[in-house]
């Protein structure tokens, strides 16, 4: 099946610093990737849709200036958490569909990145 | 908007059968997924239903009724390793193709 790789898997940073998380589709091209956030014992909450070559689409309540998304190529999307604070500590997961247009097909997930802000 | 409801927790015995229900309300329905997630790990794909009926895949089966906005995941011959969260997720094709997740059902399998 399709493979999505996410890096880093764990990151600890000081409050006020910025953290970048990378999401790569290894064996397929993904014009669209999705970023989710998951707090402990809660489900995945869609943060934004990352579109190759254009601006990301953010879900209601997600600050676009705080969570910067760049989809520079068909295989790479990055999420930067700017000026991170302890409340941003969470599990961030990216995903992509392996199939082309039509929106069908399963979502393949990266391994997830656990962010801890001290 | 949309709603996805599933039970918070379930407990079952090793070797038994368990059914996890999911109800949803959405516009632009484009399929329903079930994912398994172990603590601290990313979700893994279990099933995808876009037409009504039952899809069977080994010990796992998934059912969909679009008219009722209802799905279930059936796990047979339960094993201890099946203890995990099971996420019901709905794909929609309005406002872009998005997949939205329910809160998940934590399944505990006991010996």
């Amino acid at each position: 099946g399709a493979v999505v790789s996410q890096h880093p898997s764990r990151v600890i940073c000081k409050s006020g610093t910025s953290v970048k998380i990378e999401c790569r589709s290894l064996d397929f091209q993904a014009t669209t990737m999705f970023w989710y956030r998951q707090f402990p014992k809660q489900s995945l909450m869609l943060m934004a849709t990352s579109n190759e070559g254009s601006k990301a689409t953010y879900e209601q309540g997600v600050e676009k200036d705080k969570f910067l998304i760049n989809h520079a190529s068909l295989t790479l999307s990055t999420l930067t958490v700017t000026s991170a604070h302890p409340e941003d500590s969470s599990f961030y997961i990216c995903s992509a569909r392996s199939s082309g247009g039509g929106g069908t097909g399963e979502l393949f997930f990266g391994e997830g990145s656990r962010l801890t802000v001290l | 908007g949309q709603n996805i409801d599933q039970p918070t927790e379930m407990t079952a015995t090793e070797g038994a059968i368990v059914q996890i229900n999911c109800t949803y309300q959405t516009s632009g329905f484009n399929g329903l997924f079930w994912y398994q997630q172990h603590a601290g790990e990313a979700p893994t794909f279990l099933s995808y239903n876009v037409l009504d009926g039952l899809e069977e895949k080994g010990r796992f089966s998934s059912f969909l009724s679009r008219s009722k906005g209802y799905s279930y995941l059936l796990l047979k011959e339960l094993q201890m390793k099946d203890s995990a969260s099971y996420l019901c997720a709905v794909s929609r094709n309005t406002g872009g193709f998005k997949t939205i997740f329910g809160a998940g059902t934590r399944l505990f399998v006991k010996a």
Side-chain angles (χ1 to χ4, degrees):
Chain A
V3 179
V4 175
S5 177
Q6 192 172 337
H7 176 81
S9 58
R10 293 179 183 275
V11 58
I12 301 173
C13 69
K14 293 182 179 180
S15 184
T17 60
S18 294
V19 174
K20 179 185 284 188
I21 302 170
E22 293 186 349
C23 180
R24 295 180 185 274
S25 56
L26 298 185
D27 54 357
F28 65 99
Q29 294 183 331
T31 55
T32 304
M33 291 185 177
F34 304 90
W35 286 96
Y36 291 85
R37 178 170 54 183
Q38 186 176 37
F39 292 106
K41 297 186 179 181
Q42 296 187 22
S43 191
L44 283 74
M45 298 299 298
L46 180 64
M47 297 176 65
T49 302
S50 174
N51 305 299
E52 189 269 335
S54 65
K55 292 183 179 180
T57 306
Y58 290 82
E59 295 300 301
Q60 193 172 6
V62 178
E63 301 174 57
K64 60 182 66 177
D65 293 332
K66 181 170 184 61
F67 298 100
L68 301 179
I69 292 173
N70 184 14
H71 197 144
S73 76
L74 286 171
T75 59
L76 174 64
S77 174
T78 61
L79 168 68
T80 301
V81 183
T82 63
S83 187
H85 290 283
E87 58 265 30
D88 298 323
S89 298
S90 186
F91 193 46
Y92 293 87
I93 311 176
C94 71
S95 67
R97 281 195 173 85
S98 62
S99 57
T104 58
E106 64 185 272
L107 277 180
F108 291 94
F109 285 88
E111 302 93 333
S113 299
R114 184 164 301 284
L115 171 64
T116 302
V117 185
L118 302 176
Chain B
Q2 60 188 75
N3 264 343
I4 303 174
D5 293 311
Q6 51 182 130
T8 304
E9 289 186 0
M10 297 182 72
T11 301
T13 305
E14 190 176 19
I17 299 173
V18 70
Q19 177 174 312
I20 303 174
N21 297 323
C22 173
T23 58
Y24 65 90
Q25 293 176 313
T26 189
S27 56
F29 178 79
N30 193 43
L32 186 142
F33 298 87
W34 283 97
Y35 283 84
Q36 180 191 62
Q37 186 180 27
H38 286 97
E41 298 179 9
T44 55
F45 172 81
L46 291 178
S47 67
Y48 173 65
N49 295 66
V50 67
L51 299 176
D52 291 350
L54 185 68
E55 296 277 343
E56 297 185 75
K57 187 187 295 185
R59 294 190 298 116
F60 294 1
S61 303
S62 57
F63 171 83
L64 175 67
S65 170
R66 289 172 295 171
S67 63
K68 296 181 179 178
Y70 168 69
S71 172
Y72 68 73
L73 179 69
L74 194 70
L75 292 77
K76 303 176 184 176
E77 301 170 16
L78 279 174
Q79 302 175 9
M80 299 298 287
K81 67 178 182 180
D82 296 330
S83 294
S85 287
Y86 291 85
L87 310 177
C88 173
V90 173
S91 178
R92 50 183 291 192
N93 60 8
T94 54
F97 290 99
K98 301 178 184 177
T99 301
I100 306 298
F101 286 78
T105 299
R106 295 181 70 196
L107 175 65
F108 299 92
V109 180
K110 58 181 183 179

